[in-house]
């Protein structure tokens, strides 16, 4: 039996009942949902590890702060408190509120990306890539090779390969690169961090060509925690200081406040450049609302403001990452193939290794996640070929090197016994993997971000024998 994870630095004041289902009920639900866990109803799921986005438990202080929400259409005082918190903890002067992260991406992409532009990044994320492609841009993955190897123990698998970056700039010309879009941590690589040292080198390359760096800061606090644990010379520094340093190396950030900041909804775009801020504020009023609420209620901005303060508290972030690590270690002990090292927000199961008898065209990760729901009542999400979508220029399916299932852990929501139940369930699925009869095939395929609404059918008579 593994060690315990760090003590949860809170006690429970309110509880929410979770549904308990039978395997027969889950089998029926799975057929109705077209074998897509995104289409299951929440009341059909016992432990919901679909995402850590907007699903975190808010604190008593966040709920109290919500009562102070100023719902004025113009000039809400909640906005000024929110703006001050982002400026203080992230360090960018211009803060533009949005209703969530992808709205910030939409506005940034419309401001900066034109047809024929090229954008390098440390692996794609579906929403960032969709916005850059909708504006005519082309994404280039310049992450280090280790990030594509689930077994590599590299401590900073989110690092940029500077040779790949330089070669890409040479190939397309710096004048065709409006930004570098850098994730901290890298979700699709398994919640893996980028190091300060690497980002500083990326900064040098950016400065040589006058190209801005935009940080995807959704889980930058978790990235700062890994820097403190793993990067030489950083262990005595506070997570808040390291977060500041990460941001100081960049020219702006897109943020989903539904992650690190424990909010149910909200986001922001922040930049240093006055003209870019002016252009972004011009678009925020078109797509989101006034530039002092950006699609959020005043109470949402209050929840984020308090959430930012809590997010950098050391015992809070230690317990968060420690809980994820605990689940990962239990699976590793049982021999289940997972992406290593364990990342900040989720466990990523190596579906290609677990279901090696299911060909890539039959979508092993989608198949595995359906089987996990059926057998264990746990909901995760596909992070493989279905999420990668089709190449817009050729229309061909993209088969990324990683074919993963993600089990994301919401912050402060589940306890250690929930983690044990998940581990036991996944280990059962792993032991029964030869009973998974075949893969899945699309019966409905939406064009954009197809993983959310796609429907599938098993290629064999049954999913699990
Ligand atoms: O879900 P949004 O629109 O607030 O944020 C989009 C978004 C941007 N960047 C990154 C790294 C994300 O992980 C992200 C959203 N992620 C979700 C919903 C997730 O389940 O990981």
């Amino acid at each position: 039996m593994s060690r315990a994870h760090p003590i949860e630095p809170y006690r429970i004041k309110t509880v929410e009942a979770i549904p308990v289902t039978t395997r027969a009920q889950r089998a029926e639900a799975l057929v109705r949902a077209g074998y897509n866990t995104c289409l299951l109803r929440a009341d059909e799921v016992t432990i919901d590890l679909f995402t850590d986005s907007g699903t975190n438990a808010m604190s008593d202080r966040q709920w109290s702060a919500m009562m102070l929400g100023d719902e004025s259409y113009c000039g809400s005082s909640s906005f000024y408190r929110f703006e001050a918190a982002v400026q203080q903890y992230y360090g960018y002067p211009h803060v533009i509120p949005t209703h969530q992260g992808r709205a910030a991406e939409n506005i940034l992409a419309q401001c900066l990306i034109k047809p024929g532009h090229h954008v390098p990044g440390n692996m794609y994320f579906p929403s960032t890539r969709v916005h850059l492609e909708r504006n005519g841009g082309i994404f280039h993955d310049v992450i280090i090779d280790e990030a594509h190897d689930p077994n590599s123990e590299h401590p900073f698998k989110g690092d940029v390969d500077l040779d790949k970056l330089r070669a890409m700039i040479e190939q397309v010309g710096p004048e065709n690169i409006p930004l570098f879009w850098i994730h901290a941590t890298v979700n699709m690589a398994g919640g893996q961090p980028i190091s300060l040292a690497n980002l500083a080198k990326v900064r040098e390359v950016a400065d040589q060509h006058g190209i801005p760096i935009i940080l995807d800061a959704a889980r930058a606090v978790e990235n700062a925690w890994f820097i403190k644990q793993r990067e030489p010379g950083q262990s005595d520094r506070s997570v808040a200081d390291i977060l500041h340093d990460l941001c100081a190396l960049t020219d702006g950030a897109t943020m989903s406040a539904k992650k690190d900041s424990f909010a149910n909804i909200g986001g922001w775009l922040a930049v240093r450049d006055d003209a870019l801020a002016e252009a972004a504020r011009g678009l925020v009023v078109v797509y989101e609302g006034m530039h002092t609420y950006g699609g959020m209620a005043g109470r949402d901005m209050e929840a984020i403001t308090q959430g930012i303060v809590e997010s950098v508290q050391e015992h809070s972030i230690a317990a968060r990452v420690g809980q994820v690590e605990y689940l990962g270690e239990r699976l590793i002990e049982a021999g289940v193939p997972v992406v290593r090292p364990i990342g900040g927000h989720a466990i990523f199961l190596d579906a290609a290794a677990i279901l090696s008898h299911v060909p890539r065209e039959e979508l092993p990760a989608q198949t595995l996640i359906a089987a996990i729901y059926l057998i264990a009542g746990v909901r995760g999400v596909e992070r493989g070929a279905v999420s990668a979508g089709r190449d817009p220029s050729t229309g061909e399916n993209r088969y990324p090197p990683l074919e993963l299932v993600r089990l994301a852990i919401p912050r402060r929501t589940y306890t250690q016994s929930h983690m044990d139940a998940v581990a036991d369930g996944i280990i059962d699925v792993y032991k029964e993997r030869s009973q998974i009869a075949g893969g899945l095939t699309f019966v409905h395929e939406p064009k954009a971000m197809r993983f959310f609404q796609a429907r599938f059918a098993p290629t064999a008579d049954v999913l699990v024998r």
Side-chain angles (χ1 to χ4, degrees):
M1 184 64 193
S2 347
R3 62 176 177 78
H5 63 61
I7 180 176
E8 289 91 351
Y10 48 81
R11 57 184 174 181
I12 296 166
K13 196 180 290 201
T14 304
V15 296
E16 179 185 355
I18 53 176
V20 177
T21 56
T22 63
R23 182 160 168 163
Q25 286 168 331
R26 294 195 293 273
E28 212 179 293
L30 205 48
V31 171
R32 194 190 36 74
Y35 294 84
N36 185 351
T37 51
C38 304
L39 298 179
L40 291 168
R41 293 166 49 128
D43 61 9
E44 294 164 336
V45 177
T46 301
I47 299 187
D48 202 346
L49 305 186
F50 183 82
T51 183
D52 63 329
S53 178
T55 53
N56 307 295
M58 292 214 298
S59 69
D60 51 356
R61 282 163 198 264
Q62 282 180 292
W63 284 110
S64 308
M66 286 178 78
M67 281 306 290
L68 302 177
D70 174 353
E71 307 303 345
S72 304
Y73 194 95
C74 304
S76 157
S77 55
S78 298
F79 169 73
Y80 295 106
R81 285 191 280 274
F82 160 85
E83 179 188 47
V86 176
Q87 286 168 337
Q88 181 186 341
Y89 287 88
Y90 292 84
Y92 304 109
H94 297 290
V95 180
I96 296 141
T98 59
H99 79 275
Q100 61 184 84
R102 71 199 67 184
E105 293 160 11
N106 174 33
I107 289 167
L108 179 82
Q110 288 202 38
C111 288
L112 291 183
I113 300 170
K114 303 280 172 287
H117 275 165
H118 297 261
V119 177
N122 49 352
M123 209 176 266
Y124 84 99
F125 184 74
S127 65
T128 46
R129 187 168 66 190
V130 91
H131 284 298
L132 79 87
E133 286 176 351
R134 284 173 72 88
N135 285 281
I138 297 168
F139 175 74
H140 294 255
D141 185 1
V142 293
I143 204 165
I144 56 172
D145 286 342
E146 287 86 342
H148 294 288
D149 173 3
N151 297 315
S152 161
E153 294 277 2
H154 194 293
F156 290 104
K157 283 168 104 172
D159 278 358
V160 169
D161 181 325
L162 296 155
D163 292 334
K164 282 188 201 167
L165 178 63
R166 287 196 196 95
M168 178 262 167
I169 296 170
E170 172 98 345
Q171 185 203 334
V172 304
E175 66 284 4
N176 294 315
I177 304 178
L179 75 155
F180 296 172
W181 211 333
I182 300 297
H183 287 77
T185 56
V186 183
N187 194 345
M188 302 299 275
Q192 305 292 333
I194 182 170
S195 61
L196 274 177
N198 182 258
L199 189 56
K201 293 209 178 89
V202 174
R203 176 81 261 168
E204 281 172 23
V205 177
D207 286 345
Q208 277 161 19
H209 301 286
I211 299 171
I213 303 178
I214 299 294
L215 188 71
D216 182 314
R219 299 182 185 84
V221 174
E222 288 166 10
N223 200 115
W225 172 257
F226 284 122
I227 288 173
K228 182 178 166 108
Q229 305 307 307
R230 298 179 187 169
E231 191 158 350
Q234 299 295 329
S235 61
D236 293 335
R237 302 189 60 224
S238 72
V239 168
D241 282 349
I242 299 172
L243 176 66
H244 221 271
D245 284 3
L246 271 172
C247 297
L249 287 165
T250 65
D251 300 283
T254 51
M255 176 68 178
S256 168
K258 301 169 72 173
K259 281 82 171 175
D260 275 349
S261 309
F262 306 105
N264 296 132
I265 194 72
W268 43 266
L269 167 66
V271 295
R272 300 189 194 285
D273 184 77
D274 297 342
L276 179 55
E278 179 66 16
R281 287 197 184 101
L283 287 179
V284 98
V285 293
V286 175
Y287 289 102
E288 298 287 298
M290 271 293 284
H291 64 280
T292 52
Y293 73 85
M296 285 185 280
R299 57 181 172 272
D300 300 326
M301 293 189 277
E302 295 288 354
I304 295 170
T305 303
Q306 175 61 24
I308 290 173
V309 175
E310 293 172 15
S311 70
V312 296
Q313 289 168 349
E314 308 271 328
H315 48 264
S316 166
I317 181 70
R320 190 285 184 281
V321 178
Q323 187 182 43
V324 177
E325 193 183 358
Y326 172 81
L327 175 57
E329 291 298 334
R330 278 218 49 201
L331 297 178
I332 290 170
E333 271 171 25
V336 180
V338 299
V339 172
R340 302 162 84 147
I342 302 301
H345 68 299
I347 304 301
F348 288 73
L349 305 174
D350 185 350
I354 296 171
L355 296 188
S356 52
H357 59 289
V358 175
R360 285 301 295 271
E361 306 74 53
E362 292 188 20
L363 313 170
Q366 191 69 43
T367 305
L368 182 61
I369 198 57
I372 288 172
Y373 171 68
L374 179 67
I375 295 169
V378 173
R379 166 154 72 172
V381 66
E382 197 265 8
R383 297 277 86 152
V386 177
S387 298
R390 290 177 183 272
D391 185 317
S393 52
T394 64
E396 292 299 317
N397 277 312
R398 293 189 263 225
Y399 289 102
L402 296 175
E403 175 75 7
L404 307 175
V405 155
R406 187 186 76 175
L407 304 169
I409 317 298
R411 296 162 189 77
R412 311 191 291 207
T413 303
Y414 292 112
T415 63
Q416 182 159 333
S417 69
H418 289 119
M419 293 302 104
D420 283 328
V422 173
D424 293 343
I426 303 293
I427 292 165
D428 284 347
V429 174
Y430 184 60
K431 287 186 186 147
E432 286 182 41
R433 63 193 183 283
S434 63
Q435 298 302 307
I436 295 174
L440 291 171
T441 182
F442 277 98
V443 291
H444 169 64
E445 186 189 343
K447 276 206 171 66
M449 299 217 264
R450 63 185 184 178
F451 56 93
F452 280 130
Q453 295 176 81
R455 303 182 69 84
F456 306 90
T459 55
D461 295 346
V462 286
L463 183 71
V464 182
R465 275 187 218 100

